[in-house]
Amino acid sequence: MLETLLRRGGAFRPHIARDAQLTEASVSRILAELRKEEIVDEIRQPAPYAGGPTALITLSNNIYVAGIELSNNRLSFSIGDVSGTIDYVERVPVSPQLDQAEFERIFTGCLATMGKWTAKRGVSVRQAAFSLPGYSNANTNPIFPWDMERLRSFLSDTMQGVPLSITNSVIAQAAFHRYSGNSSYPATGDHLFLFVGHGVAGVIVNESATIEAFSPFELGHMVLERNGLACRCGHHGCLEAYTSLRAISKIVGVSETEILQRGDRFLDQLELKAETREQLRERLFLLGLGTGNALNLHPLPSVVISGWPSLLAPEDRQAIIEGMNESLLGGFDAKRMQVSFIAPSIGTDPQAALNYAAYCFVRAGGLDTRAEERHVEENA
Ligand SMILES: [Zn+2]
């Protein structure tokens, strides 16, 4: 039920009952309990049809969660409500070669600043999430070559009892689009979600699985050209070296920092010359080539793309389809394959981690896990 509310940004009782496959009586009983716990609110708002329900159920906007991201060469901390509204944000620039000790030092400093903000307002953070490129359950990370065991124990020691989930950046991005109350998401079944930003990554979205079980993969480090452009990973010819924001910034003549500042409208002020657009189309063609190759390894009927390609005109984006047509087994067939574009989300970090934290809070049933633990200890 909570997941429905998060996904729809609020819902009427009959819709909640349908999504959760419960009777309306059960829904009312559970909602009464959730209201007592101050997890949901009821707003008087008639459904847009005659004789429909008159109360819209939403998640309470008094539940605070924290989102922390390491992306775009900065460590960002945020606090907001479960609908994704941000009340507090701090961003600290970091080196692309950030080492683990330096990360721990900066993290501790940011956490202390955030703690002062929450203490001043009497805010209690119910759930936190940290998203990191290249993260998986393994003890290695190809993008940040740190000791992941040390990272996990550092975070659990530092967070002072606030439940924290760690995830891969692209999973947080997928959670953001899925759980930001946006009902216009273009894919309904299993699909490939691609994020083309500072890094380039994909995730296989399995509609029947929980989001933390999705498989992320580092599409950006697929080598497409032997001895090609140098990539930050140390290899040459990686897809990311051609299609990341940094690669694009050189083509459009705007620094990546400025692109991140301008965000989703960074192309608006630019008059793209015909040759610039042609260069961008070539990069999109490579993105299509890599995507088709990925789909040969894991066939899926639909691809959803977020990131700078969403800003280009449909005729330019056609280059992605052309690239896919050259690598996808059997070629590209619009009857078998759907490609959609959603909001680019450029420079919006740590929004995605905040939405992921809201998702984790809801997944845990909206329970205060610390209160549960205390209860268990008291009873032991
Ligand atoms: Zn690479």
Side-chain angles (χ1 to χ4, degrees), residues 25-36:
S26 306
V27 167
S28 291
R29 205 168 47 239
I30 298 167
L31 283 178
E33 274 184 44
L34 291 170
R35 253 205 327 262
K36 217 160 51 194

Side-chain angles (χ1 to χ4, degrees), residues 220-221 231-233 235 238:
H221 300 284
C231 180
R232 62 177 165 148
C233 73
H235 289 168
C238 291

Side-chain angles (χ1 to χ4, degrees), residues 70-220:
L70 184 56
S71 58
N72 299 326
N73 292 339
R74 56 197 187 188
L75 181 63
S76 316
F77 273 64
S78 64
I79 294 176
D81 66 24
V82 284
S83 74
T85 305
I86 294 184
D87 296 313
Y88 166 89
V89 68
E90 185 191 14
R91 296 190 177 101
V92 178
V94 297
S95 149
Q97 284 84 39
L98 180 69
D99 71 36
Q100 195 159 5
E102 180 71 353
F103 163 77
E104 289 169 357
R105 195 186 62 76
I106 298 173
F107 189 98
T108 308
C110 290
L111 191 69
T113 314
M114 190 172 89
K116 281 185 197 140
W117 188 90
T118 52
K120 203 170 159 188
R121 286 158 187 82
V123 162
S124 141
V125 174
R126 305 281 291 270
Q127 171 76 48
F130 173 51
S131 76
L132 181 70
Y135 185 78
S136 72
N137 289 330
N139 198 27
T140 53
N141 181 333
I143 298 188
F144 285 95
W146 304 343
D147 179 341
M148 290 294 120
E149 223 30 84
R150 173 173 153 184
L151 175 73
R152 285 186 274 265
S153 65
F154 164 77
L155 292 172
S156 76
D157 293 348
T158 317
M159 290 305 291
Q160 296 148 1
V162 176
L164 176 114
S165 307
I166 316 174
T167 194
N168 186 294
S169 303
V170 75
I171 291 189
Q173 283 292 341
F176 164 57
H177 290 289
R178 208 180 201 217
Y179 295 103
S180 56
N182 172 10
S183 51
S184 61
Y185 192 76
T188 48
D190 294 356
H191 62 277
L192 174 63
F193 172 82
L194 283 185
F195 183 70
V196 192
H198 180 76
V200 180
V203 62
I204 297 163
V205 176
N206 175 347
E207 278 297 322
S208 56
T210 58
I211 204 162
E212 60 269 34
F214 292 176
S215 324
F217 59 87
E218 305 305 328
L219 183 74

Side-chain angles (χ1 to χ4, degrees), residues 3 8 91 93 115 186 197 200 264 278-279 285 287 310 326 357:
E3 216 175 312
R8 291 174 176 260
R91 296 190 177 101
V200 180
D264 287 0
E278 185 49 42
Q279 279 178 297
F285 180 87
L287 181 67
S310 299
E326 282 197 19

Side-chain angles (χ1 to χ4, degrees), residues 212-254:
E212 60 269 34
F214 292 176
S215 324
F217 59 87
E218 305 305 328
L219 183 74
H221 300 284
M222 179 184 281
V223 175
L224 289 172
E225 198 172 331
R226 198 175 176 206
N227 301 322
L229 295 180
C231 180
R232 62 177 165 148
C233 73
H235 289 168
H236 284 79
C238 291
L239 180 61
E240 185 180 299
Y242 295 87
T243 61
S244 68
L245 273 184
R246 195 160 61 130
I248 294 316
S249 80
K250 291 181 189 126
I251 297 176
V252 298
V254 180

